[in-house]
Amino acid sequence: MHEMSLAESVLRIIEDEARSHELQRVRGVTLEIGKLAAVEPDAMRFAFTAVTQDTLAEGATLTLLEIPGEGHCAACGAAVRMDDALALCAQCGSGSVLVTGGDRMRIVELEAE
Amino acid sequence: MCGTCGCGHTLIKPARAKTTGGALNFRPVSGTPEAGAAVPQTPTSEAETRRIKVERDLLAENDGWAGENRARFGAAKTLALNLVSSPGSGKTTILVRTLQELRGKVPLAVIEGDQQTENDAERIRATGVPAVQINTGKGCHLDAVMVRHGAEELPDLACGVLFIENVGNLVCPASFDLGEDAKVLVLSVTEGEDKPLKYPDMFRAARLMLLNKCDLLPHLAFDAELACANARRVNPDIEIIRLSATSGEGMDDWLAWIARQQAA
């Protein structure tokens, strides 16, 4: 469950931002999670709750925004919306689709005091 | 805290011997904020809530270390290969046989990743090749910082090959760049042909698939053609070598592949 490592990264970023912005308490955290980022939202929530215990982000609301997967068809050049890693090109049916977006995760916003 | 990178991992260095014993242990970061971090306080009722734009990638820290590793390996002309698979596919057996073939020809070293035990590093050291064991504790994958620490324990590998044997897991290691030149995925014929479809992220991330334990094919219902077709369905560019670390079948192709990567 690598979501635990990712949640630890979230906490490190929060603590870093807390230092630079002099935050006392983080009430909300918004993450963008790519559809193709291999992250289970439920596992992420569980891990976030676990790693933020006894920290300034304990009890913070976690908002997960899903970013659609995007691909480029190597056969016909079409842009492909990818709902999973095995998506076929909607134009030509080819399976040779290269991922071009929606495979990353980032923290976008904190709500804090 | 680690003195190299400031990571929160508990790092237990080998007692003294650089490559002869003592695992590097990594434990999950504790939830306690580091010294200097803002400490939770009881909020006052008049506390003002602010929205802070952050926009930072969760893997940026790992990717930064991976980039450093890649630059170091590149400067030393070290080929770094990240071996990934599910547990029991035969990664260590392939490695032992590979090291026996390459020993004395090029500088070699191994970073072994497992949750527990130093068993694999000991199997590697028995070949005479230096190995460092990283125990990830509850962790399910190696990350770039662990590889950085591991590489620091190993001798100079100018124009050599560094094999990194990742934790046996077909899911999590796909997301973590270690700074390697290529991921080499080992699938064994005692697994299912549909593994590439079940775990597409890892097959997509790999440059080469070694189909291992091919000496067992006559005794199994495993359809090797179907397994290879499934791997190519997920990753049209993946290269595939059929191999048996036990019989030696395919070892020449695998060694030639390594030589081509070194020359590239």
Side-chain angles (χ1 to χ4, degrees), chain A residues 35-69:
Chain A
K35 181 96 177 167
L36 305 177
V39 168
E40 246 344 289
D42 284 347
M44 193 68 196
R45 290 182 187 285
F46 173 82
F48 178 79
T49 303
V51 305
T52 53
Q53 267 180 22
D54 301 321
T55 73
L56 78 168
E58 179 166 14
T61 307
L62 181 66
T63 305
L64 301 179
L65 305 175
E66 187 179 274
I67 304 300

PDB file of all heavy atoms in Angstrom, chain A residues 35-69:
ATOM      1  N   LYS A  35      -6.405   9.893 -12.609  1.00  0.00           N
ATOM      2  CA  LYS A  35      -7.132   8.625 -12.744  1.00  0.00           C
ATOM      3  C   LYS A  35      -6.153   7.465 -12.990  1.00  0.00           C
ATOM      4  O   LYS A  35      -6.425   6.315 -12.650  1.00  0.00           O
ATOM      5  CB  LYS A  35      -8.098   8.761 -13.920  1.00  0.00           C
ATOM      6  CG  LYS A  35      -8.952   7.574 -14.200  1.00  0.00           C
ATOM      7  CD  LYS A  35     -10.312   7.706 -13.557  1.00  0.00           C
ATOM      8  CE  LYS A  35     -11.179   6.501 -13.924  1.00  0.00           C
ATOM      9  NZ  LYS A  35     -12.373   6.409 -13.118  1.00  0.00           N
ATOM     10  N   LEU A  36      -5.009   7.774 -13.602  1.00  0.00           N
ATOM     11  CA  LEU A  36      -4.035   6.731 -13.935  1.00  0.00           C
ATOM     12  C   LEU A  36      -2.850   6.735 -12.968  1.00  0.00           C
ATOM     13  O   LEU A  36      -1.795   6.197 -13.264  1.00  0.00           O
ATOM     14  CB  LEU A  36      -3.531   6.928 -15.372  1.00  0.00           C
ATOM     15  CG  LEU A  36      -4.620   7.001 -16.442  1.00  0.00           C
ATOM     16  CD1 LEU A  36      -4.000   7.280 -17.807  1.00  0.00           C
ATOM     17  CD2 LEU A  36      -5.437   5.715 -16.494  1.00  0.00           C
ATOM     18  N   ALA A  37      -3.017   7.355 -11.804  1.00  0.00           N
ATOM     19  CA  ALA A  37      -1.896   7.492 -10.867  1.00  0.00           C
ATOM     20  C   ALA A  37      -1.735   6.279  -9.962  1.00  0.00           C
ATOM     21  O   ALA A  37      -0.869   6.276  -9.090  1.00  0.00           O
ATOM     22  CB  ALA A  37      -2.078   8.751 -10.021  1.00  0.00           C
ATOM     23  N   ALA A  38      -2.547   5.265 -10.151  1.00  0.00           N
ATOM     24  CA  ALA A  38      -2.453   4.046  -9.349  1.00  0.00           C
ATOM     25  C   ALA A  38      -2.646   4.324  -7.866  1.00  0.00           C
ATOM     26  O   ALA A  38      -1.941   3.792  -7.018  1.00  0.00           O
ATOM     27  CB  ALA A  38      -1.117   3.322  -9.603  1.00  0.00           C
ATOM     28  N   VAL A  39      -3.606   5.178  -7.572  1.00  0.00           N
ATOM     29  CA  VAL A  39      -3.913   5.477  -6.171  1.00  0.00           C
ATOM     30  C   VAL A  39      -5.370   5.120  -5.901  1.00  0.00           C
ATOM     31  O   VAL A  39      -6.259   5.487  -6.654  1.00  0.00           O
ATOM     32  CB  VAL A  39      -3.695   6.979  -5.874  1.00  0.00           C
ATOM     33  CG1 VAL A  39      -4.279   7.357  -4.537  1.00  0.00           C
ATOM     34  CG2 VAL A  39      -2.208   7.289  -5.907  1.00  0.00           C
ATOM     35  N   GLU A  40      -5.586   4.366  -4.829  1.00  0.00           N
ATOM     36  CA  GLU A  40      -6.924   4.013  -4.387  1.00  0.00           C
ATOM     37  C   GLU A  40      -7.408   5.114  -3.448  1.00  0.00           C
ATOM     38  O   GLU A  40      -6.796   5.319  -2.392  1.00  0.00           O
ATOM     39  CB  GLU A  40      -6.849   2.712  -3.600  1.00  0.00           C
ATOM     40  CG  GLU A  40      -7.515   1.488  -4.149  1.00  0.00           C
ATOM     41  CD  GLU A  40      -8.525   1.670  -5.234  1.00  0.00           C
ATOM     42  OE1 GLU A  40      -9.626   2.189  -4.946  1.00  0.00           O
ATOM     43  OE2 GLU A  40      -8.244   1.320  -6.376  1.00  0.00           O
ATOM     44  N   PRO A  41      -8.487   5.833  -3.786  1.00  0.00           N
ATOM     45  CA  PRO A  41      -8.931   6.924  -2.914  1.00  0.00           C
ATOM     46  C   PRO A  41      -9.191   6.474  -1.466  1.00  0.00           C
ATOM     47  O   PRO A  41      -8.797   7.163  -0.520  1.00  0.00           O
ATOM     48  CB  PRO A  41     -10.220   7.401  -3.579  1.00  0.00           C
ATOM     49  CG  PRO A  41     -10.035   7.063  -5.026  1.00  0.00           C
ATOM     50  CD  PRO A  41      -9.245   5.784  -5.042  1.00  0.00           C
ATOM     51  N   ASP A  42      -9.805   5.309  -1.287  1.00  0.00           N
ATOM     52  CA  ASP A  42     -10.099   4.862   0.085  1.00  0.00           C
ATOM     53  C   ASP A  42      -8.811   4.597   0.858  1.00  0.00           C
ATOM     54  O   ASP A  42      -8.701   4.925   2.039  1.00  0.00           O
ATOM     55  CB  ASP A  42     -10.948   3.581   0.056  1.00  0.00           C
ATOM     56  CG  ASP A  42     -12.400   3.884  -0.308  1.00  0.00           C
ATOM     57  OD1 ASP A  42     -12.769   5.077  -0.279  1.00  0.00           O
ATOM     58  OD2 ASP A  42     -13.133   2.942  -0.637  1.00  0.00           O
ATOM     59  N   ALA A  43      -7.835   3.998   0.181  1.00  0.00           N
ATOM     60  CA  ALA A  43      -6.551   3.724   0.838  1.00  0.00           C
ATOM     61  C   ALA A  43      -5.856   5.040   1.182  1.00  0.00           C
ATOM     62  O   ALA A  43      -5.221   5.177   2.229  1.00  0.00           O
ATOM     63  CB  ALA A  43      -5.667   2.876  -0.071  1.00  0.00           C
ATOM     64  N   MET A  44      -5.997   6.028   0.292  1.00  0.00           N
ATOM     65  CA  MET A  44      -5.382   7.336   0.529  1.00  0.00           C
ATOM     66  C   MET A  44      -6.004   8.000   1.760  1.00  0.00           C
ATOM     67  O   MET A  44      -5.294   8.573   2.601  1.00  0.00           O
ATOM     68  CB  MET A  44      -5.589   8.205  -0.717  1.00  0.00           C
ATOM     69  CG  MET A  44      -4.753   9.453  -0.731  1.00  0.00           C
ATOM     70  SD  MET A  44      -3.009   9.051  -0.903  1.00  0.00           S
ATOM     71  CE  MET A  44      -2.288  10.591  -0.417  1.00  0.00           C
ATOM     72  N   ARG A  45      -7.315   7.916   1.873  1.00  0.00           N
ATOM     73  CA  ARG A  45      -7.996   8.522   3.031  1.00  0.00           C
ATOM     74  C   ARG A  45      -7.563   7.845   4.327  1.00  0.00           C
ATOM     75  O   ARG A  45      -7.284   8.501   5.332  1.00  0.00           O
ATOM     76  CB  ARG A  45      -9.522   8.392   2.888  1.00  0.00           C
ATOM     77  CG  ARG A  45     -10.087   9.270   1.806  1.00  0.00           C
ATOM     78  CD  ARG A  45     -11.613   9.156   1.735  1.00  0.00           C
ATOM     79  NE  ARG A  45     -12.084   9.883   0.573  1.00  0.00           N
ATOM     80  CZ  ARG A  45     -12.155  11.211   0.505  1.00  0.00           C
ATOM     81  NH1 ARG A  45     -11.809  11.935   1.561  1.00  0.00           N
ATOM     82  NH2 ARG A  45     -12.568  11.809  -0.581  1.00  0.00           N
ATOM     83  N   PHE A  46      -7.501   6.530   4.272  1.00  0.00           N
ATOM     84  CA  PHE A  46      -7.088   5.767   5.451  1.00  0.00           C
ATOM     85  C   PHE A  46      -5.666   6.163   5.860  1.00  0.00           C
ATOM     86  O   PHE A  46      -5.385   6.441   7.026  1.00  0.00           O
ATOM     87  CB  PHE A  46      -7.157   4.270   5.124  1.00  0.00           C
ATOM     88  CG  PHE A  46      -6.598   3.387   6.192  1.00  0.00           C
ATOM     89  CD1 PHE A  46      -7.356   3.028   7.295  1.00  0.00           C
ATOM     90  CD2 PHE A  46      -5.283   2.907   6.098  1.00  0.00           C
ATOM     91  CE1 PHE A  46      -6.833   2.226   8.284  1.00  0.00           C
ATOM     92  CE2 PHE A  46      -4.751   2.106   7.083  1.00  0.00           C
ATOM     93  CZ  PHE A  46      -5.533   1.756   8.186  1.00  0.00           C
ATOM     94  N   ALA A  47      -4.789   6.221   4.876  1.00  0.00           N
ATOM     95  CA  ALA A  47      -3.386   6.535   5.154  1.00  0.00           C
ATOM     96  C   ALA A  47      -3.237   7.969   5.657  1.00  0.00           C
ATOM     97  O   ALA A  47      -2.461   8.245   6.581  1.00  0.00           O
ATOM     98  CB  ALA A  47      -2.542   6.327   3.897  1.00  0.00           C
ATOM     99  N   PHE A  48      -3.994   8.880   5.068  1.00  0.00           N
ATOM    100  CA  PHE A  48      -3.920  10.289   5.483  1.00  0.00           C
ATOM    101  C   PHE A  48      -4.340  10.424   6.951  1.00  0.00           C
ATOM    102  O   PHE A  48      -3.672  11.101   7.744  1.00  0.00           O
ATOM    103  CB  PHE A  48      -4.818  11.147   4.584  1.00  0.00           C
ATOM    104  CG  PHE A  48      -4.839  12.603   4.953  1.00  0.00           C
ATOM    105  CD1 PHE A  48      -3.805  13.438   4.572  1.00  0.00           C
ATOM    106  CD2 PHE A  48      -5.888  13.134   5.698  1.00  0.00           C
ATOM    107  CE1 PHE A  48      -3.806  14.785   4.926  1.00  0.00           C
ATOM    108  CE2 PHE A  48      -5.906  14.470   6.048  1.00  0.00           C
ATOM    109  CZ  PHE A  48      -4.857  15.299   5.668  1.00  0.00           C
ATOM    110  N   THR A  49      -5.431   9.760   7.315  1.00  0.00           N
ATOM    111  CA  THR A  49      -5.897   9.808   8.702  1.00  0.00           C
ATOM    112  C   THR A  49      -4.830   9.248   9.634  1.00  0.00           C
ATOM    113  O   THR A  49      -4.548   9.813  10.699  1.00  0.00           O
ATOM    114  CB  THR A  49      -7.205   8.982   8.846  1.00  0.00           C
ATOM    115  OG1 THR A  49      -8.152   9.500   7.932  1.00  0.00           O
ATOM    116  CG2 THR A  49      -7.749   9.067  10.261  1.00  0.00           C
ATOM    117  N   ALA A  50      -4.197   8.159   9.198  1.00  0.00           N
ATOM    118  CA  ALA A  50      -3.191   7.506  10.051  1.00  0.00           C
ATOM    119  C   ALA A  50      -1.954   8.393  10.235  1.00  0.00           C
ATOM    120  O   ALA A  50      -1.487   8.574  11.364  1.00  0.00           O
ATOM    121  CB  ALA A  50      -2.795   6.166   9.438  1.00  0.00           C
ATOM    122  N   VAL A  51      -1.435   8.960   9.159  1.00  0.00           N
ATOM    123  CA  VAL A  51      -0.160   9.687   9.291  1.00  0.00           C
ATOM    124  C   VAL A  51      -0.327  11.076   9.890  1.00  0.00           C
ATOM    125  O   VAL A  51       0.642  11.658  10.371  1.00  0.00           O
ATOM    126  CB  VAL A  51       0.636   9.803   7.960  1.00  0.00           C
ATOM    127  CG1 VAL A  51       0.870   8.455   7.343  1.00  0.00           C
ATOM    128  CG2 VAL A  51      -0.025  10.736   6.993  1.00  0.00           C
ATOM    129  N   THR A  52      -1.558  11.621   9.858  1.00  0.00           N
ATOM    130  CA  THR A  52      -1.719  12.977  10.405  1.00  0.00           C
ATOM    131  C   THR A  52      -2.092  12.972  11.888  1.00  0.00           C
ATOM    132  O   THR A  52      -2.226  14.038  12.477  1.00  0.00           O
ATOM    133  CB  THR A  52      -2.794  13.772   9.614  1.00  0.00           C
ATOM    134  OG1 THR A  52      -3.997  12.995   9.564  1.00  0.00           O
ATOM    135  CG2 THR A  52      -2.320  14.086   8.211  1.00  0.00           C
ATOM    136  N   GLN A  53      -2.251  11.785  12.456  1.00  0.00           N
ATOM    137  CA  GLN A  53      -2.531  11.723  13.903  1.00  0.00           C
ATOM    138  C   GLN A  53      -1.431  12.438  14.682  1.00  0.00           C
ATOM    139  O   GLN A  53      -0.252  12.273  14.389  1.00  0.00           O
ATOM    140  CB  GLN A  53      -2.593  10.266  14.360  1.00  0.00           C
ATOM    141  CG  GLN A  53      -4.000   9.711  14.327  1.00  0.00           C
ATOM    142  CD  GLN A  53      -4.057   8.267  14.769  1.00  0.00           C
ATOM    143  OE1 GLN A  53      -3.170   7.800  15.467  1.00  0.00           O
ATOM    144  NE2 GLN A  53      -5.092   7.578  14.352  1.00  0.00           N
ATOM    145  N   ASP A  54      -1.830  13.206  15.669  1.00  0.00           N
ATOM    146  CA  ASP A  54      -0.893  13.936  16.531  1.00  0.00           C
ATOM    147  C   ASP A  54      -0.041  14.934  15.757  1.00  0.00           C
ATOM    148  O   ASP A  54       1.100  15.200  16.125  1.00  0.00           O
ATOM    149  CB  ASP A  54       0.040  12.961  17.285  1.00  0.00           C
ATOM    150  CG  ASP A  54      -0.750  11.998  18.139  1.00  0.00           C
ATOM    151  OD1 ASP A  54      -1.753  12.432  18.732  1.00  0.00           O
ATOM    152  OD2 ASP A  54      -0.369  10.812  18.204  1.00  0.00           O
ATOM    153  N   THR A  55      -0.565  15.428  14.656  1.00  0.00           N
ATOM    154  CA  THR A  55       0.138  16.480  13.921  1.00  0.00           C
ATOM    155  C   THR A  55      -0.797  17.682  13.780  1.00  0.00           C
ATOM    156  O   THR A  55      -1.968  17.609  14.177  1.00  0.00           O
ATOM    157  CB  THR A  55       0.540  16.044  12.500  1.00  0.00           C
ATOM    158  OG1 THR A  55      -0.643  15.999  11.689  1.00  0.00           O
ATOM    159  CG2 THR A  55       1.207  14.681  12.505  1.00  0.00           C
ATOM    160  N   LEU A  56      -0.284  18.748  13.174  1.00  0.00           N
ATOM    161  CA  LEU A  56      -1.119  19.945  13.005  1.00  0.00           C
ATOM    162  C   LEU A  56      -2.241  19.721  12.011  1.00  0.00           C
ATOM    163  O   LEU A  56      -3.130  20.558  11.886  1.00  0.00           O
ATOM    164  CB  LEU A  56      -0.257  21.154  12.584  1.00  0.00           C
ATOM    165  CG  LEU A  56       0.181  21.239  11.128  1.00  0.00           C
ATOM    166  CD1 LEU A  56       0.741  22.621  10.867  1.00  0.00           C
ATOM    167  CD2 LEU A  56       1.191  20.180  10.792  1.00  0.00           C
ATOM    168  N   ALA A  57      -2.214  18.593  11.297  1.00  0.00           N
ATOM    169  CA  ALA A  57      -3.270  18.317  10.319  1.00  0.00           C
ATOM    170  C   ALA A  57      -4.236  17.242  10.809  1.00  0.00           C
ATOM    171  O   ALA A  57      -5.080  16.762  10.048  1.00  0.00           O
ATOM    172  CB  ALA A  57      -2.656  17.894   8.989  1.00  0.00           C
ATOM    173  N   GLU A  58      -4.127  16.881  12.085  1.00  0.00           N
ATOM    174  CA  GLU A  58      -5.033  15.847  12.605  1.00  0.00           C
ATOM    175  C   GLU A  58      -6.484  16.314  12.455  1.00  0.00           C
ATOM    176  O   GLU A  58      -6.823  17.443  12.795  1.00  0.00           O
ATOM    177  CB  GLU A  58      -4.737  15.560  14.078  1.00  0.00           C
ATOM    178  CG  GLU A  58      -5.672  14.509  14.633  1.00  0.00           C
ATOM    179  CD  GLU A  58      -5.210  13.935  15.970  1.00  0.00           C
ATOM    180  OE1 GLU A  58      -4.312  14.534  16.589  1.00  0.00           O
ATOM    181  OE2 GLU A  58      -5.750  12.895  16.376  1.00  0.00           O
ATOM    182  N   GLY A  59      -7.300  15.427  11.917  1.00  0.00           N
ATOM    183  CA  GLY A  59      -8.726  15.743  11.756  1.00  0.00           C
ATOM    184  C   GLY A  59      -9.041  16.600  10.554  1.00  0.00           C
ATOM    185  O   GLY A  59     -10.206  16.956  10.333  1.00  0.00           O
ATOM    186  N   ALA A  60      -8.040  16.948   9.750  1.00  0.00           N
ATOM    187  CA  ALA A  60      -8.288  17.796   8.576  1.00  0.00           C
ATOM    188  C   ALA A  60      -9.164  17.062   7.565  1.00  0.00           C
ATOM    189  O   ALA A  60      -9.079  15.843   7.417  1.00  0.00           O
ATOM    190  CB  ALA A  60      -6.960  18.190   7.925  1.00  0.00           C
ATOM    191  N   THR A  61      -9.987  17.825   6.869  1.00  0.00           N
ATOM    192  CA  THR A  61     -10.836  17.255   5.823  1.00  0.00           C
ATOM    193  C   THR A  61      -9.983  17.030   4.574  1.00  0.00           C
ATOM    194  O   THR A  61      -9.280  17.931   4.131  1.00  0.00           O
ATOM    195  CB  THR A  61     -11.964  18.245   5.463  1.00  0.00           C
ATOM    196  OG1 THR A  61     -12.624  18.604   6.666  1.00  0.00           O
ATOM    197  CG2 THR A  61     -12.949  17.625   4.495  1.00  0.00           C
ATOM    198  N   LEU A  62     -10.053  15.820   4.038  1.00  0.00           N
ATOM    199  CA  LEU A  62      -9.282  15.520   2.830  1.00  0.00           C
ATOM    200  C   LEU A  62     -10.223  15.527   1.628  1.00  0.00           C
ATOM    201  O   LEU A  62     -11.178  14.761   1.581  1.00  0.00           O
ATOM    202  CB  LEU A  62      -8.609  14.147   2.969  1.00  0.00           C
ATOM    203  CG  LEU A  62      -7.749  13.712   1.787  1.00  0.00           C
ATOM    204  CD1 LEU A  62      -6.531  14.622   1.634  1.00  0.00           C
ATOM    205  CD2 LEU A  62      -7.283  12.264   1.960  1.00  0.00           C
ATOM    206  N   THR A  63      -9.951  16.407   0.680  1.00  0.00           N
ATOM    207  CA  THR A  63     -10.757  16.463  -0.545  1.00  0.00           C
ATOM    208  C   THR A  63      -9.912  15.925  -1.698  1.00  0.00           C
ATOM    209  O   THR A  63      -8.795  16.392  -1.919  1.00  0.00           O
ATOM    210  CB  THR A  63     -11.164  17.923  -0.858  1.00  0.00           C
ATOM    211  OG1 THR A  63     -11.823  18.446   0.294  1.00  0.00           O
ATOM    212  CG2 THR A  63     -12.091  17.989  -2.056  1.00  0.00           C
ATOM    213  N   LEU A  64     -10.444  14.927  -2.379  1.00  0.00           N
ATOM    214  CA  LEU A  64      -9.708  14.325  -3.500  1.00  0.00           C
ATOM    215  C   LEU A  64     -10.393  14.713  -4.802  1.00  0.00           C
ATOM    216  O   LEU A  64     -11.584  14.440  -4.993  1.00  0.00           O
ATOM    217  CB  LEU A  64      -9.682  12.799  -3.363  1.00  0.00           C
ATOM    218  CG  LEU A  64      -9.036  12.240  -2.094  1.00  0.00           C
ATOM    219  CD1 LEU A  64      -9.107  10.714  -2.080  1.00  0.00           C
ATOM    220  CD2 LEU A  64      -7.588  12.686  -1.996  1.00  0.00           C
ATOM    221  N   LEU A  65      -9.668  15.370  -5.671  1.00  0.00           N
ATOM    222  CA  LEU A  65     -10.207  15.743  -6.979  1.00  0.00           C
ATOM    223  C   LEU A  65      -9.619  14.807  -8.021  1.00  0.00           C
ATOM    224  O   LEU A  65      -8.394  14.684  -8.125  1.00  0.00           O
ATOM    225  CB  LEU A  65      -9.815  17.187  -7.328  1.00  0.00           C
ATOM    226  CG  LEU A  65     -10.193  18.256  -6.308  1.00  0.00           C
ATOM    227  CD1 LEU A  65      -9.630  19.608  -6.734  1.00  0.00           C
ATOM    228  CD2 LEU A  65     -11.709  18.329  -6.166  1.00  0.00           C
ATOM    229  N   GLU A  66     -10.476  14.132  -8.765  1.00  0.00           N
ATOM    230  CA  GLU A  66      -9.970  13.188  -9.766  1.00  0.00           C
ATOM    231  C   GLU A  66      -9.682  13.911 -11.078  1.00  0.00           C
ATOM    232  O   GLU A  66     -10.507  14.655 -11.583  1.00  0.00           O
ATOM    233  CB  GLU A  66     -11.008  12.093  -9.995  1.00  0.00           C
ATOM    234  CG  GLU A  66     -10.487  10.992 -10.888  1.00  0.00           C
ATOM    235  CD  GLU A  66     -11.515   9.906 -11.099  1.00  0.00           C
ATOM    236  OE1 GLU A  66     -11.589   8.997 -10.256  1.00  0.00           O
ATOM    237  OE2 GLU A  66     -12.250   9.976 -12.095  1.00  0.00           O
ATOM    238  N   ILE A  67      -8.484  13.680 -11.591  1.00  0.00           N
ATOM    239  CA  ILE A  67      -8.083  14.263 -12.873  1.00  0.00           C
ATOM    240  C   ILE A  67      -8.180  13.162 -13.924  1.00  0.00           C
ATOM    241  O   ILE A  67      -7.617  12.082 -13.737  1.00  0.00           O
ATOM    242  CB  ILE A  67      -6.632  14.793 -12.798  1.00  0.00           C
ATOM    243  CG1 ILE A  67      -6.484  15.801 -11.662  1.00  0.00           C
ATOM    244  CG2 ILE A  67      -6.194  15.390 -14.124  1.00  0.00           C
ATOM    245  CD1 ILE A  67      -7.362  17.021 -11.779  1.00  0.00           C
ATOM    246  N   PRO A  68      -8.901  13.401 -15.027  1.00  0.00           N
ATOM    247  CA  PRO A  68      -9.073  12.324 -16.010  1.00  0.00           C
ATOM    248  C   PRO A  68      -7.760  11.894 -16.653  1.00  0.00           C
ATOM    249  O   PRO A  68      -6.825  12.692 -16.770  1.00  0.00           O
ATOM    250  CB  PRO A  68     -10.011  12.934 -17.055  1.00  0.00           C
ATOM    251  CG  PRO A  68     -10.269  14.335 -16.668  1.00  0.00           C
ATOM    252  CD  PRO A  68      -9.568  14.645 -15.395  1.00  0.00           C
ATOM    253  N   GLY A  69      -7.719  10.637 -17.026  1.00  0.00           N
ATOM    254  CA  GLY A  69      -6.547  10.134 -17.731  1.00  0.00           C
ATOM    255  C   GLY A  69      -6.584  10.571 -19.187  1.00  0.00           C
ATOM    256  O   GLY A  69      -7.642  10.584 -19.819  1.00  0.00           O
TER     257      GLY A  69
END
